[in-house]
């Protein structure tokens, strides 16, 4: 259920002219557009390093660190992503080629997020839910909603008791991210029906961040 204040808050958000981080984000989008695959160690390191550091979700933040500094990226992270690269690339390619909406690809979206989150857990001992969503978002901007603590608070204020019926047919997903996606999809549908605007994940992320202020 979307709260009544949402329409007013959204219209206020549209009146805000703010291009902060626009160029920086465009660099990250272009990087993943030009190098979407996981076949070269330097490319893998560059992507996970720049996205993670830019979005306060660095993969080197972990439990019981043994390998530190640059060595962790090159000796631990990159080899693992290289190992699972063919499956990750297949998932990303299928989503990038799909002309459907997030809802149409919900099984693959949620299972891919869970797949990468599990890999990150294996590497760090932490649930890198946020990093997985952000990393995948820059590879598939129209399919993955950006999750972090601020977005979670924002959507929690706007959407109460979300309809989770779409999750009944999804066997492999992270419950927290699944709940988050259900809420954002409900918000997306509300804006489409009430205001005639179908907003993509990037725009919705900006709106959620203003909702917590």
């Amino acid at each position: 259920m979307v709260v009544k204040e949402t329409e007013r808050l959204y219209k206020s958000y549209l009146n805000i002219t703010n291009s902060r981080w626009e160029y920086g984000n465009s660099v990250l989008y272009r990087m993943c557009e030009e190098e979407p695959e996981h076949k070269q160690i330097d490319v893998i390191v560059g992507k996970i390093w720049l996205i993670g550091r830019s979005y306060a979700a660095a993969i080197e933040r972990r439990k019981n660190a043994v390998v530190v500094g640059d060595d962790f990226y090159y000796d631990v992270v990159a080899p693992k992503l290289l190992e699972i690269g063919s499956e990750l690339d297949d998932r990303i390619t299928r989503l990038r080629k799909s002309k459907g909406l997030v809802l149409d690809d919900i099984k693959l979206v949620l299972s891919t997020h869970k797949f990468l989150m599990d890999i990150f857990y294996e590497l760090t001992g932490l649930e890198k839910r946020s990093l997985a969503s952000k990393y995948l978002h820059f590879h598939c901007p129209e399919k993955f909603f950006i999750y972090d603590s601020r977005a979670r608070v924002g959507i929690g204020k706007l959407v109460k008791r979300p309809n989770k019926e779409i999750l009944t047919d999804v066997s492999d997903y992270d419950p927290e991210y699944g709940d988050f996606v259900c809420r954002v999809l409900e918000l997306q549908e509300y804006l489409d029906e009430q205001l005639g605007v179908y907003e993509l994940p990037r725009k919705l992320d900006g709106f959620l961040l203003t909702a917590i202020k």
Side-chain angles (χ1 to χ4, degrees), residues 35 99 107 158 199 207:
E35 297 285 356
K99 302 300 181 183
K107 289 183 180 180
L158 299 177
E199 295 292 18
F207 176 42

Side-chain angles (χ1 to χ4, degrees), residues 32-208:
C32 294
E33 177 68 28
E34 294 175 354
E35 297 285 356
E37 297 182 327
H38 297 78
K39 295 180 178 179
Q40 301 176 57
I41 285 182
D42 282 343
V43 172
I44 292 171
V45 169
K47 291 195 294 184
I48 196 71
W49 169 57
L50 288 172
I51 294 172
R53 287 285 187 89
S54 298
Y55 273 75
I59 197 168
E60 66 261 32
R61 297 173 186 169
R62 61 198 190 279
K63 284 186 176 181
N64 305 319
V66 176
V67 183
V68 297
D70 295 344
D71 290 343
F72 179 64
Y73 280 93
Y74 277 93
D75 297 344
V76 180
V77 177
K80 185 61 183 180
L81 291 184
L82 196 63
E83 177 188 327
I84 57 94
S86 59
E87 180 171 354
L88 181 58
D89 290 344
D90 176 67
R91 289 170 174 271
I92 288 173
T93 298
R94 286 158 60 194
L95 287 168
R96 285 164 63 94
K97 287 183 176 180
S98 172
K99 302 300 181 183
L101 305 177
V102 176
L103 189 59
D104 299 317
D105 295 313
I106 194 66
K107 289 183 180 180
L108 185 56
V109 166
L110 292 180
S111 67
T112 299
H113 175 268
K114 179 65 161 53
F115 171 74
L116 189 57
M117 188 175 155
D118 287 347
I119 295 300
F120 289 162
Y121 183 83
E122 182 180 333
L123 294 171
T124 68
L126 297 173
E127 292 186 329
K128 294 284 185 176
R129 181 176 295 111
S130 177
L131 176 58
S133 74
K134 292 167 180 176
Y135 190 79
L136 290 168
H137 169 78
F138 281 100
H139 287 79
C140 304
E142 297 185 3
K143 301 296 184 181
F144 289 93
F145 298 117
I146 294 174
Y147 175 99
D148 58 25
S149 59
R150 295 186 300 166
R152 188 70 182 85
V153 171
I155 198 64
K157 288 185 175 182
L158 299 177
V159 181
K160 309 293 184 181
R161 300 187 301 278
N163 183 348
K164 299 184 183 181
E165 186 177 346
I166 61 172
L167 298 179
T168 57
D169 293 328
V170 184
S171 59
D172 191 25
Y173 68 96
D174 170 56
E176 172 64 18
Y177 189 64
D179 177 89
F180 176 77
V181 169
C182 286
R183 290 173 188 264
V184 182
L185 284 173
E186 200 164 322
L187 172 63
Q188 190 180 53
E189 181 181 20
Y190 174 86
L191 294 175
D192 189 18
E193 292 179 350
Q194 298 298 316
L195 302 177
V197 289
Y198 181 83
E199 295 292 18
L200 295 175
R202 166 56 61 189
K203 194 71 173 285
L204 289 171
D205 180 63
F207 176 42
L208 292 181

